[in-house]
Amino acid sequence: ICRELYFKILQELKQPIATENFEEIEIYSVVHRVEKVPSGLYQGMHLLKEGDFSDKVGYLCVNQSLVRDSAVTLFFVSGYQNYQTAMQVAGLIGQRLYLCSNYWGIQCSGIGAYFDDETQEFLGTNKDVLYAMVIGI
């Protein structure tokens, strides 16, 4: 996928979600193949670690080739107060990602399995990883 499209998607995911009890969701992205964007681990648009982590992230997501071969892997993370609300907000953000991906003609998939503790360690957070998704498959 191209850089401009990747940035548009990140902006769409940051749009507010009206809920009675809001839970903050942080988005970590592992960029594998986005034109003119260095490969690496990002929190939002901030580069945390540069490098090709496609094999590592494929492993973290229970050796799924879909993850390894995608353009970007996204992890939704939260230090929630209310688990149910956090999961609902993560689900709404995921649905927004499906809609954006469909609109812009790139493929997207939710990833339901990953190694929790190892993924937290890779991301450098002690917050819970609620969901993972890939785009550009």
Side-chain angles (χ1 to χ4, degrees), residues 113-133:
Y114 44 84
F115 299 115
D116 293 36
D117 295 341
E118 291 179 73
T119 301
Q120 283 177 298
E121 183 179 327
F122 172 73
L123 298 176
T125 184
N126 61 354
K127 297 177 181 177
D128 287 347
V129 179
L130 303 178
Y131 196 41
M133 297 186 77

Side-chain angles (χ1 to χ4, degrees), residues 16-89:
I17 295 173
T19 63
E20 190 173 310
N21 299 313
F22 186 75
E23 290 288 349
E24 181 86 23
I25 304 293
E26 298 174 15
I27 299 176
Y28 288 81
S29 301
V30 183
V31 173
H32 310 293
R33 284 171 281 292
V34 175
E35 295 173 9
K36 300 179 184 174
V37 176
S39 295
L41 171 63
Y42 291 78
Q43 184 178 15
M45 296 177 75
H46 177 70
L47 178 63
L48 300 176
K49 291 188 255 187
E50 189 169 350
D52 179 0
F53 299 112
S54 55
D55 287 336
K56 174 70 173 178
V57 175
Y59 161 77
L60 290 172
C61 293
V62 194
N63 296 309
Q64 295 182 62
S65 60
L66 177 70
V67 176
R68 185 193 65 235
D69 298 338
S70 69
V72 180
T73 304
L74 300 104
F75 295 97
F76 303 164
V77 175
S78 183
Y80 54 83
Q81 297 296 313
N82 183 298
Y83 176 76
Q84 182 176 357
T85 301
M87 289 300 290
Q88 289 171 343
V89 173

